[in-house]
Amino acid sequence: MTMYTEPAPTERGPIVQAVNVCKSFGDKRILTDVNLEVARGEVVVMVGPSGAGKTTMLRTLNGLEAIDSGEIRVNGELLGQRVNKQGKLVERSARDLARQRANIGFVFQHFNLFPHMSVLENIWHAVVEVKHESKSEAVAYARELLGRVGLADKADARTRSLSGGQQQRVAIARALAMRPALMLFDEPTSALDPEMVGEVLAVMRDLANAGMTMIIVSHEMGFTREVADRVVVMDAGRIIESGPPAQVFATPQHERTRQFLSNVLA
Amino acid sequence: MKFDWSYFWQSLLAPSPQFLNGLALTIIISVVAMALAFLLGLVIALMGRSRFLPFKLFASLYIWVIRGTPLLVQLVIIYTGFAAAGLFRFEDVDLFGAIIKGAVQAAIVGLMLNESAYISEIVRSGLESVDRGQNEAALSLGMTPMHAMRKIIVPQAIRTMVPPLGNSFNGLMKSTSILSIIGVSEMFQVGSTMSASTFKVFEIYIVVALYYLLLTTVWTFIQTAIENTLNVRAGLPPAESVFKRLFGVRSRKQQTTSTPALQPADIA
């Protein structure tokens, strides 16, 4: 049984193409000329020391952070920007960016469930209000997803009454309900108690096995080794190394990668 | 001490029709002005958060001027000043058969303007009290910023906004007593007239005070009920009891668990 229904591919070719992405916060340079290409169905894990720019890079991929220069294409379409009649890059309207985001799932470190809604409504709300699908179908699909993340009995619960691990599984179901073409995970287990990390990783593993395209910022090296098709190592706002986990972990090319790995794998 | 108990009890328990009209006018003006002030305050708060600079500037200028000048002065400028300068005169209007006096309209406008500046600050801090992640989660699901504001941010912000808004309304009801200065025959004005004709000054004003106390007490019950409803909906423990609220007996535990300190500036 698959975890999600594959949306009709709008296009062949890579789902994410980021070219020379630069981003600063004030005077502080966060991303410098980052290039990243992700193929459909690929699972990419971004690792690196804290402050390397992994989270910022991930957030640029659904426009939560606007970029200063460079280009990001998702499904072949420029994200957050468009080319106007004069051939210049201009900002997309809020409505247009919202349409693009609806196709990209995002899972936050701190879950960010909506506390004024039940667990089930958290999952179906945007499907009905953003995609304008019928409520009965959306609710049925929400129940199905909730079952798949192992929380069928929590449909009517308040989000506050759930454990961190349960909240994060609901957050994953909420993102999946939109039938996204791409899922982004920002340190999804970093805010969890150790005994809850496993249940969230299990859901993510199922999703990867089902063929979902995923970009994950994570410190879980065991999980990365097992699930990632490719590991991308970031340091000081740049991608310094990229390759299959076996290769990157066994024979890191870059000195900073060696240092980082010896710190986290020690 | 000279105190006419029988006159006091009679005024308190069987008030004259004029007094009851004054009481009704006090309530009507308070409710209408508060409702309008809330809408205007919301607009000012949203203008203050706008990325459009002229809106931002207007909002801060408005809040600065309105909060920096006394309500009494604002009322006199709106009602008497504008008319004297030939700028604008509040005329009596017929609304569905009821005559609304010019002074009453000026009172509502004045109270609305004054209160909206305070309310916009309450709304602003209420919106800011909602975690940024809520907005990001809403946007990531494809909601527009406006949709996220309406369906995700505002419903959560309302809960933190109710206690300071309630305080505002409490203050507003008492502020109506200064409307007598522009000749609105609200409760205080009626009381003054009665005391001038009967010389029962002390008795009358004690009665007036008790009626204001009645109004604010009834409001405290209503506000507590609203807070409880919202808390139940948000899955939170109920608000502290009305009696603790009225008499200021708040246990330590409840102080630490109550909603974040969002104290509105004291109402003038």
Side-chain angles (χ1 to χ4, degrees):
Chain A
M1 189 157 73
T2 56
M3 285 287 295
Y4 73 105
T5 313
E6 171 82 292
T10 50
E11 197 178 320
R12 301 210 167 270
I15 189 155
V16 173
Q17 292 165 286
V19 181
N20 292 334
V21 170
C22 295
K23 171 78 185 173
S24 301
F25 288 124
D27 297 339
K28 201 166 182 293
R29 199 68 186 261
I30 306 294
L31 298 174
T32 309
D33 289 328
V34 177
N35 290 285
L36 180 69
E37 198 167 287
V38 177
R40 277 164 214 284
E42 196 176 17
V43 176
V44 173
V45 179
M46 295 206 276
V47 302
S50 57
K54 308 176 299 282
T55 288
T56 305
M57 184 60 209
L58 193 76
R59 288 164 59 88
T60 65
L61 296 180
N62 77 340
L64 281 180
E65 300 291 351
I67 57 177
D68 297 338
S69 65
E71 260 183 38
I72 292 172
R73 282 172 196 278
V74 175
N75 260 336
E77 188 181 58
L78 276 172
L79 182 85
Q81 298 176 304
R82 63 185 175 84
V83 181
N84 70 2
K85 280 178 191 152
Q86 284 80 42
K88 272 190 176 169
L89 274 185
V90 294
E91 209 179 315
R92 271 183 202 274
S93 68
R95 180 165 295 278
D96 210 17
L97 180 57
R99 172 187 61 77
Q100 294 184 308
R101 281 180 178 139
N103 200 25
I104 306 168
F106 199 102
V107 176
F108 297 85
Q109 185 179 350
H110 295 286
F111 335 128
N112 297 341
L113 293 182
F114 305 133
H116 58 302
M117 298 176 185
S118 70
V119 164
L120 200 66
E121 187 178 352
N122 262 276
I123 302 176
W124 63 254
H125 179 88
V127 180
V128 173
E129 300 244 342
V130 174
K131 294 180 87 180
H132 304 293
E133 288 182 15
S134 86
K135 186 172 162 189
S136 58
E137 278 174 41
V139 170
Y141 189 47
R143 281 192 191 281
E144 187 185 329
L145 285 169
L146 205 51
R148 288 183 193 174
V149 298
L151 294 170
D153 56 329
K154 298 289 186 188
D156 299 318
R158 287 270 154 199
T159 61
R160 281 180 223 270
S161 68
L162 303 185
S163 71
Q166 291 171 332
Q167 289 193 46
Q168 193 61 296
R169 284 186 279 158
V170 173
I172 293 172
R174 177 176 70 175
L176 288 175
M178 297 294 286
R179 302 179 200 268
L182 166 69
M183 287 281 287
L184 308 175
F185 294 81
D186 182 16
E187 304 196 24
T189 58
S190 296
L192 298 179
D193 291 338
E195 71 266 28
M196 293 170 184
V197 170
E199 62 193 63
V200 172
L201 292 183
V203 167
M204 291 171 64
R205 191 178 294 118
D206 287 351
L207 201 53
N209 291 338
M212 174 59 89
T213 312
M214 298 159 77
I215 305 176
I216 305 162
V217 172
S218 181
H219 297 294
E220 300 291 335
M221 291 304 149
F223 173 78
T224 302
R225 198 190 293 270
E226 178 196 347
V227 171
D229 295 312
R230 185 153 57 103
V231 177
V232 168
V233 187
M234 286 190 73
D235 183 53
R238 294 172 189 273
I239 291 180
I240 57 171
E241 191 160 347
S242 161
Q247 178 199 314
V248 172
F249 286 150
T251 55
Q253 301 300 301
H254 203 283
E255 176 53 31
R256 287 290 292 142
T257 311
R258 259 191 290 271
Q259 274 178 17
F260 171 72
L261 289 175
S262 73
N263 286 340
V264 294
L265 296 177
Chain B
M1 188 184 82
K2 255 180 27 188
F3 194 87
D4 188 338
W5 281 103
S6 71
Y7 183 79
F8 168 78
W9 285 118
Q10 194 201 338
S11 310
L12 185 68
L13 300 175
S16 64
Q18 296 99 301
F19 190 84
L20 286 178
N21 286 341
L23 176 66
L25 194 57
T26 292
I27 296 172
I28 291 168
I29 290 178
S30 302
V31 171
V32 173
M34 184 69 189
L36 294 174
F38 180 69
L39 295 177
L40 185 59
L42 199 66
V43 171
I44 300 291
L46 290 175
M47 283 173 97
R49 287 168 60 99
S50 161
R51 282 198 292 175
F52 185 56
L53 195 63
F55 278 3
K56 256 185 133 85
L57 287 176
F58 176 81
S60 13
L61 194 72
Y62 182 86
I63 293 169
W64 175 58
V65 171
I66 299 282
R67 288 206 309 184
T69 52
L71 172 61
L72 184 57
V73 176
Q74 292 165 5
L75 282 170
V76 174
I77 289 176
I78 290 173
Y79 186 61
T80 324
F82 281 9
L87 276 172
F88 182 77
R89 188 182 295 276
F90 285 94
E91 306 283 1
D92 298 358
V93 294
D94 191 327
L95 193 71
F96 308 117
I99 306 290
I100 316 257
K101 288 232 172 74
V104 172
Q105 299 164 41
I108 289 174
V109 169
L111 286 171
M112 170 191 77
L113 293 176
N114 183 268
E115 204 58 42
S116 66
Y118 296 93
I119 289 179
S120 76
E121 289 291 274
I122 293 172
V123 171
R124 185 183 57 79
S125 60
L127 294 178
E128 280 170 8
S129 74
V130 178
D131 184 67
R132 250 179 45 147
Q134 291 290 309
N135 190 46
E136 292 186 347
L139 295 181
S140 80
L141 289 166
M143 295 184 204
T144 60
M146 199 61 197
H147 184 170
M149 177 62 80
R150 280 195 305 119
K151 294 297 176 78
I152 306 299
I153 310 297
V154 169
Q156 295 182 58
I158 289 280
R159 216 183 57 74
T160 33
M161 281 165 12
V162 167
L165 282 176
N167 283 350
S168 265
F169 186 58
N170 188 308
L172 177 74
M173 285 193 288
K174 291 176 291 183
S175 300
T176 55
S177 60
I178 69 165
L179 296 174
S180 56
I181 205 77
I182 58 169
V184 175
S185 51
E186 41 67 53
M187 188 163 60
F188 181 81
Q189 163 90 328
V190 174
S192 314
T193 316
M194 285 163 71
S195 74
S197 61
T198 61
F199 299 106
K200 309 277 186 197
V201 180
F202 193 36
E203 293 84 349
I204 290 284
Y205 284 123
I206 294 289
V207 170
V208 169
L210 286 173
Y211 271 96
Y212 279 115
L213 191 59
L214 175 71
L215 286 183
T216 52
T217 305
V218 168
W219 171 246
T220 304
F221 278 89
I222 297 174
Q223 186 187 332
T224 306
I226 295 173
E227 283 175 36
N228 277 334
T229 313
L230 291 174
N231 279 4
V232 167
R233 249 190 248 168
L236 290 168
E240 61 201 348
S241 85
V242 173
F243 296 99
K244 282 189 173 158
R245 222 172 251 245
L246 285 175
F247 303 118
V249 195
R250 301 188 178 203
S251 70
R252 271 204 152 148
K253 186 172 154 266
Q254 269 165 326
Q255 269 181 353
T256 51
T257 53
S258 64
T259 41
L262 271 178
Q263 296 306 319
D266 277 348
I267 310 303

